Each structure stands twice: as C-alpha cells, then as structure tokens.
Amino acid sequence: RSQKILKEITPTGTPDYGKKAGVSYDEIQRSLSILSGYDKSIVLNESQRQRYVQVGSISLTACEFCCGIKENGFIGKDGEVACGCSHNVAFSGLTKWLVKNSSYTNEQIVSEIGGWKIIFFPKGSVEKEIKKRGIVPSDGELPTMQGGC
C-alpha cells in the first residue's frame, strides 16, 4: 500500500518551469544541486523578497523530515535560511527562482515545494499521507531521503 500511495503522490516528468529552470522531477540529484545553487545566485528586489519571506516562513514549506526545524518553514521571519541542509537550501532556491521568473502565486509556490518535498522525502511524505487518509500502514520499505543533509 505504501508503494501505491507513493506512486500516486509523487510528481514525475518536468514541471512547466522545468526547462527554463533546468530541473526535472526525474533527475533528483541534478535538480537538487541546481535548485540549491539558485539560493545564492538569485538576488531579489524588495517586493520579491517580501513574497519570498511570506512563502518561506510558513509551516508547509518546512524541511520537516530531516532538519530539526520541524514545521517552521525553510526560513525565519528575518529571511535567513533556517538550516543549511541541501533540501532546505533547494526550497529557498526554488522559491527565489519562481518569485523572480514565474507568475506563480504564493499558494502555487507552496504547492510546488510540497511536490519536491515528496521527491526528497518519500518515506516521511507517505507516512504523512497515510496518517492524513486514516490508513493503517502495511507494506513496503521506502527510501527515507533523496540527497543529504
């Protein structure tokens, strides 16, 4: 059942911004590296930075499955990245890229972070989905994490 749920919730292929951003859901390590690079290379203006902080400081954007930051968002209210793990930095880079280069709403950016979170943390994501659905876990080992802290 766990494998079936993972297959149901995991994004595949290339997101609509993927070609321009150079990322694909199917190339996890490469995409993780590219997204992490955007954290340092993208400079936001003041209004873009305000959106970045709005998105990055809510619980749904947290790197909740590997860091000690739990569900506090990938950045603090000050706009500083809460943890230096590759996933957290990738969420920051993705958010900066989407704020600067797309017409995505804040809600769409949060949703996109959620998709990458499933890819980076399959086990934690499935466990969370199982709990949300009220299902008793049954079968299958899942990889705990893609990429490293």
Side-chain angles (χ1 to χ4, degrees):
R1 190 179 282 182
S2 296
Q3 290 291 337
K4 182 180 177 200
I5 291 172
L6 181 61
K7 188 172 174 80
E8 286 174 21
I9 67 173
T10 303
T12 59
T14 303
D16 61 357
Y17 60 86
K19 190 170 186 173
K20 188 174 177 188
V23 297
S24 168
Y25 300 128
D26 301 331
E27 298 178 47
I28 300 167
Q29 295 302 322
R30 185 176 155 282
S31 295
L32 180 65
S33 177
I34 289 168
L35 293 172
S36 295
Y38 290 145
D39 175 62
K40 295 285 185 233
S41 67
I42 294 177
V43 178
L44 302 174
N45 66 33
E46 188 52 38
S47 66
Q48 292 168 334
R49 182 162 171 72
Q50 287 175 4
R51 282 190 65 208
Y52 167 77
V53 171
Q54 288 171 347
V55 170
S57 60
I58 64 169
S59 65
L60 293 174
T61 64
C63 182
E64 66 193 274
F65 301 116
C66 89
C67 302
I69 62 173
K70 300 190 177 22
E71 292 188 11
N72 295 326
F74 66 77
I75 60 172
K77 296 287 184 189
D78 60 1
E80 295 299 315
V81 177
C83 169
C85 80
S86 61
H87 308 106
N88 211 48
V89 175
F91 295 155
S92 175
L94 172 65
T95 302
K96 286 181 178 181
W97 195 94
L98 290 171
V99 164
K100 190 166 187 93
N101 298 296
S102 79
S103 60
Y104 273 40
T105 65
N106 289 2
E107 292 77 21
Q108 289 171 309
I109 295 171
V110 170
S111 178
E112 192 57 28
I113 290 169
W116 284 101
K117 196 184 297 189
I118 293 165
I119 291 168
F120 296 156
F121 305 107
K123 183 176 181 179
S125 296
V126 167
E127 288 171 349
K128 192 172 185 174
E129 185 67 20
I130 285 171
K131 186 176 180 182
K132 184 172 120 184
R133 294 183 188 189
I135 299 170
V136 176
S138 59
D139 63 340
E141 283 295 315
L142 297 169
T144 57
M145 182 186 320
Q146 298 287 335
C149 286

